[in-house]
Amino acid sequence: MIRLDRFLCEMNEGTRSEVKKLISKGLVEVNGEAVSDPGKKVDPDKDCIFVGGRHIAYAEFEYFMLNKPAGVISASRADLRSKAEICVVDLISDKKRKDLFPIGRLDKDTEGLLLITNDGRLAHDLLSPKKHVDKQYLAELDIPLTEEGRKRIEEGVDIGDDKPTLPCRISFNSKNSILITIHEGRFHQIKRMLLTEGCTVTYLKRLSMGSLRLDPELKKGESRRLTGEELSMLRSGK
Ligand code: URA
């Protein structure tokens, strides 16, 4: 059971004071009766809650894949230092919940697959260093990576952290672009790995995370809900 005002806030019906106003105006009904107490306890799974005649469906967890465009910060609204900045959660237009966050971070200038959810457990599982979830990226480089450089990076390189990077896989996509699959998520990891060979990453896009591939139908900045199949594959670690 949760407070009615909290339920409405979580379902993105407004701020706490905005939903309190809706309630005091008699616009909120629970099981067919107008309610005046914002603290009334409701069971979101059983009670029928309407605002201005609109049914408010309960979503405990939401899962979206976003094709992140460059220029947007991988953070939730609450994490932003300045309200003027745009974060990835702002790009999810049909969200119900207010507590969404990205699973992991992509640099501001990196594009591609980002999972947005409020499921902390899934986030923990996907980010856990023990699980070594594969992340595949397309990286464009200012100069070609040599064959010897590819082998060195694949074996693991010193990028100035406590430990060298774990082994990864690299294939050449064209002269100046590679596909690289890593299992970790260190800060600027791919850019730093390639710099050990003197290559600057000029463009970076994440293509997949675990079993989940970026939907090619999604244009930059677009998102969609995960399908049930995608979610169960992610959960089972396939
Ligand atoms: N590696 C990077 O350098 N940047 C990213 O955004 C992701 C991986």
Side-chain angles (χ1 to χ4, degrees):
M1 301 284 270
I2 65 169
R3 287 175 58 106
L4 177 61
D5 54 357
R6 173 148 178 235
F7 167 79
L8 292 173
C9 280
E10 283 191 8
M11 292 305 103
N12 223 356
E13 288 300 308
T15 60
R16 200 71 164 235
S17 64
E18 283 164 353
V19 303
K20 279 190 172 145
K21 267 188 211 144
L22 293 173
I23 295 168
S24 68
K25 281 185 187 159
L27 289 170
V28 180
E29 285 182 6
V30 177
N31 302 326
E33 282 186 20
V35 170
S36 57
D37 175 11
K40 181 183 168 63
K41 291 281 187 337
V42 291
D43 179 343
D45 285 324
K46 292 199 184 120
D47 291 323
C48 255
I49 300 162
F50 282 77
V51 173
R54 205 167 27 87
H55 182 232
I56 308 301
Y58 181 52
E60 188 180 8
F61 293 115
E62 291 191 290
Y63 305 89
F64 295 90
M65 77 158 72
L66 169 71
N67 184 359
K68 178 192 174 298
V72 180
I73 298 168
S74 293
S76 60
R77 204 93 284 282
D79 291 335
L80 287 181
R81 281 195 218 115
S82 145
K83 290 228 161 82
E85 285 177 318
I86 301 182
C87 68
V88 287
V89 173
D90 296 333
L91 301 179
I92 314 290
S93 46
D94 72 333
K95 58 183 175 285
K96 293 198 175 114
R97 300 211 50 116
K98 270 196 149 174
D99 51 359
L100 299 182
F101 58 86
I103 298 191
R105 282 166 196 265
L106 293 176
D107 296 339
K108 192 171 176 185
D109 59 354
T110 300
E111 297 183 353
L113 177 65
L114 197 58
L115 269 165
I116 313 274
T117 185
N118 60 324
D119 185 342
R121 189 163 165 191
L122 180 70
H124 176 267
D125 283 352
L126 289 175
L127 297 176
S128 159
K130 286 191 203 125
K131 300 253 163 118
H132 291 178
V133 171
D134 283 2
K135 284 154 284 223
Q136 190 189 46
Y137 294 82
L138 168 73
E140 288 176 9
L141 312 173
D142 62 340
I143 53 167
L145 176 66
T146 62
E147 180 52 29
E148 301 73 47
R150 177 182 78 89
K151 285 193 193 130
R152 278 192 288 268
I153 293 182
E154 276 195 334
E155 279 167 15
V157 274
D158 179 359
I159 55 171
D161 294 343
D162 299 347
K163 291 182 193 156
T165 54
L166 288 177
C168 70
R169 285 195 310 277
I170 297 178
S171 60
F172 291 100
N173 186 44
S174 69
K175 195 163 141 265
N176 279 37
S177 88
I178 57 167
L179 290 172
I180 173 165
T181 305
I182 59 172
H183 319 285
E184 305 165 277
R186 303 193 203 173
F187 184 63
H188 293 336
Q189 180 162 347
I190 291 180
K191 293 173 184 163
R192 288 157 71 207
M193 286 164 87
L194 283 145
L195 262 187
T196 63
E197 293 296 327
C199 302
T200 298
V201 173
T202 54
Y203 174 79
L204 190 60
K205 178 177 185 177
R206 182 154 66 192
L207 304 176
S208 69
M209 187 168 182
S211 57
L212 194 65
R213 286 203 73 78
L214 179 64
D215 185 336
E217 298 289 310
L218 289 179
K219 300 197 183 83
K220 284 180 206 176
E222 286 184 351
S223 61
R224 68 156 170 81
R225 287 179 190 274
L226 291 194
T227 64
E229 195 185 353
E230 285 169 338
L231 189 55
S232 54
M233 296 229 323
L234 265 185
R235 283 207 177 109
S236 65
K238 280 188 196 130

